[in-house]
């Protein structure tokens, strides 16, 4: 028999919104259970019941923005730390990519609640996605995420005979096995990594385990979103048709 589950959890599991957003919508009466508004936090429902959002909630979701940034080395992905600036501080009208053809006009409101969906460490450069939309964040950093993240990694050192195979599958970090990856040589000193997880400093630590030192790391793709010709330190809005997952 089915067990009742908190509505906020069901909405998040179905990719409709995040749990935090769900609670906010419930308080406003914007969540419909079998067509009737839910207004009490903590309300539960059976997984087989129909859950939808009101038009008001859908309008709010549509207005939320997702931004693609080419993060420079020296900026942290999240909150400012040790005197280093956060990547979100680069999102300004004057740093918007001139080639951005999105019809949106930059507004300070687009910074409200804007947060990175995933990490890119301070020593790394490249594609960072920041969003106001909990659905996008969950797609990228949820435990069940299957979104590819692609990196170009310059290395020094000599790779052991079995090293490339181990990078693809067979390593573990912090006592947990890593998911299979796709790792190939791009040229004599650069590897191409495609991962579906993002543990802290994962690529650097993977390389250390097989005798390599990372001297440069750039993320060039997340899902269908590519860094392309976006200049370092500049940003653009997510384009229509670009799929993250």
């Amino acid at each position: 028999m089915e067990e009742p589950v908190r509505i906020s959890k069901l909405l998040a599991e179905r990719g409709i919104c995040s749990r935090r957003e769900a609670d906010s919508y419930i308080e406003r009466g914007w969540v419909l259970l079998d067509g009737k508004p839910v207004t009490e936090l903590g309300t539960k429902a059976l997984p087989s019941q129909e859950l939808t959002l009101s038009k008001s909630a859908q309008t709010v979701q549509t207005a939320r923005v997702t931004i693609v940034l080419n993060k420079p080395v020296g900026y942290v992905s999240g909150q400012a730390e040790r005197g280093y600036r956060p990547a979100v501080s680069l999102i300004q009208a004057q740093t918007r990519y001139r080639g951005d053809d999105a019809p949106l006009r930059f507004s300070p409101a687009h910074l409200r609640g804007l947060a990175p969906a995933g990490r890119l460490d301070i020593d790394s450069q490249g594609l960072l996605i920041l969003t106001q939309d909990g659905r996008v964040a969950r797609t990228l950093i949820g435990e069940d995420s299957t979104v590819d993240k692609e990196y170009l990694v310059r290395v020094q050192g000599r790779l052991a005979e079995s090293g490339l195979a181990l990078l693809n599958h067979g390593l573990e970090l912090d006592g947990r096995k890593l998911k299979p990856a796709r790792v190939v040589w791009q040229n004599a000193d650069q590897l191409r990594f495609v991962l579906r997880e993002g543990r802290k400093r994962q690529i650097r630590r993977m390389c250390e385990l097989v005798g390599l030192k990372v001297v440069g790391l750039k993320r060039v793709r997340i899902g269908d979103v590519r860094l392309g010709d976006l200049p370092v330190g500049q940003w653009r809005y997510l384009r229509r048709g670009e799929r993250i997952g």
Side-chain angles (χ1 to χ4, degrees):
M1 293 182 64
E2 290 184 313
E3 292 289 334
V5 180
R6 285 177 67 111
I7 285 175
S8 57
K9 182 179 180 182
L10 286 174
L11 288 169
E13 288 176 346
R14 295 176 189 181
I16 296 173
C17 61
S18 69
R19 290 195 190 191
R20 182 181 298 176
E21 289 168 336
D23 285 341
S24 174
Y25 296 160
I26 288 170
E27 289 179 324
R28 294 181 172 116
W30 290 354
V31 176
L32 308 179
L33 176 61
D34 291 333
K36 296 181 179 180
V38 177
T39 56
E40 187 175 339
L41 293 176
T43 299
K44 295 183 177 182
L46 297 175
S48 59
Q49 290 184 276
E50 182 183 35
L51 281 172
T52 55
L53 298 182
S54 70
K55 288 185 178 180
S56 296
Q58 292 174 29
T59 298
V60 168
Q61 285 190 326
T62 302
R64 288 183 173 155
V65 300
T66 296
I67 284 173
V68 177
L69 170 70
N70 187 344
K71 185 190 86 68
V73 170
Y75 283 76
V76 293
S77 297
Q79 297 295 319
E81 57 184 67
R82 297 179 303 181
Y84 292 107
R85 296 176 64 193
V88 71
S89 67
L90 289 166
I91 312 301
Q92 304 169 21
Q94 59 267 34
T95 55
R96 183 178 180 180
Y97 176 41
R98 288 188 178 182
D100 186 3
D101 57 3
L104 291 171
R105 184 173 183 176
F106 177 70
S107 164
H110 294 165
L111 298 174
R112 214 169 290 137
L114 187 69
R119 64 169 66 93
L120 189 61
D121 70 55
I122 193 168
D123 300 314
S124 300
Q125 178 206 323
L127 182 58
L128 182 66
I129 291 178
L130 303 102
T131 186
Q132 294 177 321
D133 193 331
R135 297 168 299 173
V136 172
R138 186 180 184 279
T139 297
L140 288 178
I141 59 179
E143 290 185 6
D144 55 351
S145 176
T146 58
V147 178
D148 285 346
K149 289 105 176 170
E150 185 175 341
Y151 305 79
L152 295 179
V153 185
R154 285 192 299 112
V155 294
Q156 292 177 344
R158 177 171 291 184
L159 188 63
E161 189 174 335
S162 61
L164 190 61
L166 285 171
L167 286 171
N168 277 272
H169 193 207
L171 296 176
E172 63 176 52
L173 294 175
D174 305 320
R176 289 170 49 210
K177 290 184 178 180
L178 295 171
K179 294 179 181 179
R182 297 201 303 276
V183 185
V184 298
W185 283 107
Q186 182 75 5
N187 53 48
D189 66 350
Q190 188 169 239
L191 290 162
R192 181 181 295 271
F193 277 71
V194 179
L195 306 179
R196 286 192 171 180
E197 60 184 331
R199 300 200 208 169
K200 189 172 183 179
R201 299 180 75 85
Q202 178 173 334
I203 290 177
R204 297 177 188 277
R205 296 168 69 195
M206 288 173 70
C207 287
E208 287 173 3
L209 289 174
V210 295
L212 296 176
K213 179 183 178 182
V214 173
V215 293
L217 190 154
K218 179 194 289 188
R219 184 157 60 202
V220 296
R221 180 175 65 85
I222 297 176
D224 288 345
V225 181
R226 295 184 180 276
L227 187 63
D229 57 1
L230 183 64
V232 176
Q234 294 188 25
W235 63 274
R236 63 173 176 82
Y237 290 105
L238 188 72
R239 299 186 182 114
R240 287 182 181 177
E242 279 186 321
R243 289 176 55 250
I244 289 173

